[in-house]
């Protein structure tokens, strides 16, 4: 109520203190001269001007010149919101970071929380899940630390919970997302915040849709639309429009879906928020596809994809590529369909690896936090009992016991956290190794070969190849659950792998393994699938571009009582020529297997006295012509 009375008073004083002809500079000058610290007053004065970049930049410039930190904080927050609304995410993040720095300098925790949530939203829209999670978690932690939270703080806590829910949706953890949204909407109901209710009902609908609860999702989206109509929010209407349309598509009500999304297309164009515009065009194209309007569908999906690529909206890049693949598959243009499908899967894999790691990390962090909170509560109860005993009989030995117990708990907690971090790292390496071995290129080629044998009615080869392929998949899956295997098992796995890959080269590759007769291969341990990435590199980068005889020789011997040595030698084009070819290609074949193998060997060697080594040698003749590449791997025995 005080704010409502003060704002007109400030306007009144501003008008009478300065000339009417320069209204905007007068307001700004009055704010600076009187050092107005209330962000509510600033927001009231600049409410309509926040859509003008010139007005915001003028506020920032004049505030900087006058060292008016509150005006500068408000200006950078407004600039961040301005850029975010236009999907200029990098510029938005930069502005919000400056606002956070000023919040800390002014010791304004509420503003800091608000800006932390804002920058988290910027990163979430780009599917930078790890960054978004960090900022929202920090905002939530700081808000919860405030002892007497006012409505603004409660709103910030609700925003953090809502954002965490959205991150869980990104991670496909829809039930966890629903829990966060329900916490958030409870606060918004208490505050009677219509915008918060509109946003939360929309998000609850999204989670229910992903869980297959389409009727419940439709009910939630309709509830959100009701609040957005009251608020006359164009952005809210756009979001509800394409969300309801997506549910109708899943319900196979294609005409109704097209009609629904059609009502918000022009609104999205006028609003020009690239994030929501790309989503609208994507939904429009999908609805047209199901109504056999392929030409229009292609045009709109390509528009969605173009916007998403320009503004790095990863989710729409994946969805638009998948939808375009559906169109070309329907038109029996399988080549183009495969190109778009491949792009979609590569885009999804690009973000999912990070999402998966972040999700595991977050679960562990949440578990540790809950456990720490429980221990703090237990310690508090013990402390109360101790104080009662001390007050009654002043027995020092009870205090000593409590101190000893506390130290023991702290030491146990530290050791437990170390073990959990190590287990998390091992789990991450296992998951990454499994994804590296079961890459889509290899599986697609293998299955294609089986299909070719079936088409040619070559049952014997098809069955033989299928047996090899299934055995290799079994070994890869088994390897994902163990930390080490015998050298004998590793050699058998590599033979299977080379047998399958050799099909692509019409059995042109002469592959041989030579082992030292004195070695007991069943007792020597190495990380599973440690040699496969080196063989894969030899095939794809050394032998694939080579014409003529192709060879890979593997030799295994004991070089001392401490080490075995594995040499993988090919007669390929060499690393220099391979690098030139790779640089000339528009699309490079990415291999993360070698780095993963190094990490796994590092983890393997931690429990041993000696470390591993990997050395590459470029083989050349006397005229400096490449003869191939040699990889020397020394693995410790103990």
């Amino acid at each position: 109520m005080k704010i409502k009375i003060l704002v007109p008073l400030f306007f009144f004083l501003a008008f009478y203190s300065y000339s009417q002809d320069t209204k905007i500079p007068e307001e700004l000058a009055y704010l600076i001269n009187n050092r107005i610290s209330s962000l509510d007053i600033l927001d009231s004065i600049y409410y309509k001007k926040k859509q003008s970049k010139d007005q915001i930049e003028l506020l920032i410039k004049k505030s900087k010149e006058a060292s008016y930190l509150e005006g500068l904080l408000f200006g950078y927050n407004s600039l961040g919101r301005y850029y975010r609304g236009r999907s200029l995410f990098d510029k938005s993040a930069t502005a919000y970071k400056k606002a956070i720095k000023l919040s800390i300098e002014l010791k304004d925790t509420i503003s800091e929380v608000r800006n932390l949530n804002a920058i988290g939203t910027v990163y979430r829209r780009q599917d930078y899940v790890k960054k978004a999670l960090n900022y929202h978690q920090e905002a939530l932690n700081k808000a919860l630390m405030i002892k007497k939270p006012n409505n603004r703080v409660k709103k910030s806590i609700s925003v953090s919970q809502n954002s965490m829910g959205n991150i869980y949706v990104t991670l496909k953890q829809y039930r966890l997302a629903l829990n966060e949204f329900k916490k958030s909407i409870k606060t918004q109901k208490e505050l009677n915040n219509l915008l918060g209710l509109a946003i939360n009902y929309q998000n609850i609908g999204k989670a229910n849709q992903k869980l297959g609860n389409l009727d419940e999702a439709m009910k939630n989206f309709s509830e959100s639309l009701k609040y957005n109509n009251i608020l006359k929010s164009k952005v809210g209407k756009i979001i509800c429009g394409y969300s309801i349309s997506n549910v109708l598509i899943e319900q196979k009500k294609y005409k109704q879906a097209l009609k629904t999304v059609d009502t918000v297309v022009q609104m999205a164009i006028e609003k020009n928020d690239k994030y929501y515009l790309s989503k609208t065009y994507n939904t429009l194209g999908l609805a047209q596809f199901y109504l056999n309007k392929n030409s229009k569908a292609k045009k709109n999906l390509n528009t969605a994809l173009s916007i998403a690529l320009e503004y790095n909206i990863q989710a729409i890049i994946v969805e638009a590529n998948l939808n375009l693949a559906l169109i070309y598959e329907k038109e029996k243009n399988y080549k183009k369909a495969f190109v778009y499908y491949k792009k979609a899967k590569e885009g999804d894999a690009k973000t999912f690896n990070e999402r998966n790691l972040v999700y595991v990390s977050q679960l562990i962090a949440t578990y540790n936090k809950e456990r720490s909170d429980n221990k703090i509560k237990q310690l508090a109860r013990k402390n109360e009992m101790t104080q009662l005993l001390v007050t009654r009989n002043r027995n020092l030995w009870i205090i000593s016991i409590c101190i000893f117990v506390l130290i023991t708990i702290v030491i146990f907690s530290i050791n437990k956290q170390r073990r959990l971090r190590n287990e998390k790292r091992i789990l991450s390496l296992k998951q990454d190794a499994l994804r590296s071995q079961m890459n889509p290129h290899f599986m697609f080629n293998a299955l294609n070969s089986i299909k070719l044998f079936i088409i040619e009615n070559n049952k014997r080869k098809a069955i033989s190849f299928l047996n090899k392929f299934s055995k290799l998949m079994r070994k890869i899956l088994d390897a994902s659950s163990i930390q080490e295997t015998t050298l004998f098992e590793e050699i058998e796995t590599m033979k299977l792998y080379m047998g399958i890959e050799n099909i692509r080269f019409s059995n042109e590759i002469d592959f041989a393994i030579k082992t030292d007769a004195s070695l007991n291969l069943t007792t020597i341990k190495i990380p599973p699938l440690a040699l496969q990435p080196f063989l894969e590199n030899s095939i794809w980068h050394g032998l694939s571009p080579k014409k003529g005889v192709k060879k890979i020789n593997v030799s295994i011997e004991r070089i001392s009582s401490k080490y075995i040595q594995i040499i993988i030698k090919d007669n390929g084009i060499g690393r220099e020529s391979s690098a030139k070819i790779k640089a000339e290609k528009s699309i490079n074949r990415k291999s993360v297997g070698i780095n993963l193998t190094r990490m796994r060997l590092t983890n393997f060697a931690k429990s041993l006295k000696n470390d591993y080594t990997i050395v590459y040698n470029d083989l050349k003749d006397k005229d400096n012509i490449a003869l191939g590449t040699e990889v020397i791997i020394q693995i410790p025995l103990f």
Side-chain angles (χ1 to χ4, degrees), residues 386 396-410:
T386 304
L396 292 176
W397 66 271
I398 294 179
I399 297 175
S400 300
I401 289 173
C402 288
I403 292 171
F404 175 76
V405 169
L406 180 61
I407 292 170
T408 303
I409 291 172
V410 169

Side-chain angles (χ1 to χ4, degrees), residues 390-531:
V390 169
T391 303
R392 209 164 13 172
N393 51 30
R394 306 288 182 181
N395 290 328
L396 292 176
W397 66 271
I398 294 179
I399 297 175
S400 300
I401 289 173
C402 288
I403 292 171
F404 175 76
V405 169
L406 180 61
I407 292 170
T408 303
I409 291 172
V410 169
I411 293 170
F412 173 78
S413 179
I414 291 169
N415 290 334
K416 187 70 174 178
Q417 286 174 352
R418 284 177 182 168
R419 286 199 299 273
L420 284 172
R421 281 196 295 270
N422 191 48
E423 286 170 9
K424 172 199 161 187
R425 185 170 178 276
I426 292 169
L427 177 60
S428 298
L429 287 174
K430 285 180 182 178
Q431 291 171 336
D432 288 342
L434 179 60
R435 282 193 294 273
S436 173
Q437 313 309 323
M438 297 182 70
N439 70 70
H441 298 286
F442 172 68
M443 294 186 71
F444 178 80
N445 292 334
L447 293 171
N448 235 12
S449 299
I450 295 170
K451 183 177 77 174
L452 185 62
F453 289 142
I454 294 169
I455 291 170
E456 292 174 350
N457 203 24
N458 194 336
K459 295 180 181 177
R460 185 179 62 80
K461 281 190 176 181
I463 292 169
S464 173
F465 191 85
L466 188 57
N467 282 337
K468 285 183 180 180
F469 182 70
S470 62
K471 284 180 182 177
L472 181 61
M473 289 301 102
R474 175 65 181 271
K475 283 182 177 291
I476 290 173
L477 291 170
D478 286 344
S480 70
S481 63
I482 57 175
Q483 295 183 37
E484 56 184 41
T485 187
T486 66
L487 188 54
F488 176 81
E489 282 294 325
E490 181 72 0
I491 291 171
E492 291 301 306
T493 303
M494 292 309 102
K495 286 178 180 177
L496 278 173
Y497 170 74
M498 284 302 302
I500 291 170
E501 283 284 40
N502 216 349
I503 294 294
R504 285 182 46 74
F505 294 87
S506 303
N507 291 314
E508 290 180 354
I509 301 174
D510 182 6
F511 176 68
I513 298 179
K514 181 182 176 183
T515 58
D516 188 338
S518 65
L519 290 174
N520 186 348
L521 301 179
T522 59
T523 60
I524 298 170
K525 302 289 186 180
I526 67 169
L529 302 168
L531 302 183

Side-chain angles (χ1 to χ4, degrees), residues 21 23 28 50 95 99 135 156 174 251 292 332 343 367 370 390 425 444 459 486 604 614 620:
D21 296 331
K23 180 180 177 182
L28 180 54
K50 283 193 287 187
Y135 278 104
S156 292
Y174 306 119
Q251 292 176 334
N292 298 315
K332 297 186 178 178
K343 286 179 181 177
Y367 169 74
E370 289 176 355
V390 169
R425 185 170 178 276
F444 178 80
K459 295 180 181 177
T486 66
F604 172 76
I614 298 175
K620 297 182 180 180

Side-chain angles (χ1 to χ4, degrees), residues 85 234 238 261-274 276-278 280-281 284 300 303 307:
K234 285 187 178 180
I238 293 165
V261 73
D262 245 340
T263 61
V264 297
V265 171
Q266 191 57 41
M267 205 182 296
I269 293 169
E270 290 170 5
K271 192 66 182 173
N272 201 31
D273 185 316
K274 304 300 183 183
Y276 299 121
L277 186 59
S278 65
T280 305
Y281 274 121
L284 178 62
N300 289 315
T303 302
I307 295 169

Side-chain angles (χ1 to χ4, degrees), residues 313-343:
I313 305 167
Q314 195 62 36
I316 298 302
I317 292 172
V318 173
E319 286 184 31
N321 275 315
L322 278 174
N323 292 336
L324 284 164
L326 284 174
I327 293 176
Y328 286 111
E329 184 183 10
K330 187 178 181 181
E331 293 177 349
K332 297 186 178 178
N333 188 342
Y334 299 116
K335 186 176 179 181
K336 268 199 170 182
F338 174 70
V339 169
Y340 281 108
Y341 179 79
K342 183 182 173 185
K343 286 179 181 177

Side-chain angles (χ1 to χ4, degrees), residues 286-326:
L286 187 61
Q288 289 167 335
F289 161 69
Y290 282 112
L291 288 169
N292 298 315
K293 298 180 180 182
N294 287 3
S295 178
K296 290 182 178 180
K298 280 184 200 173
K299 180 182 175 183
N300 289 315
L301 287 170
N302 276 308
T303 302
L305 182 58
S306 175
I307 295 169
L309 287 168
E310 183 179 353
Y311 292 93
N312 192 27
I313 305 167
Q314 195 62 36
I316 298 302
I317 292 172
V318 173
E319 286 184 31
N321 275 315
L322 278 174
N323 292 336
L324 284 164
L326 284 174

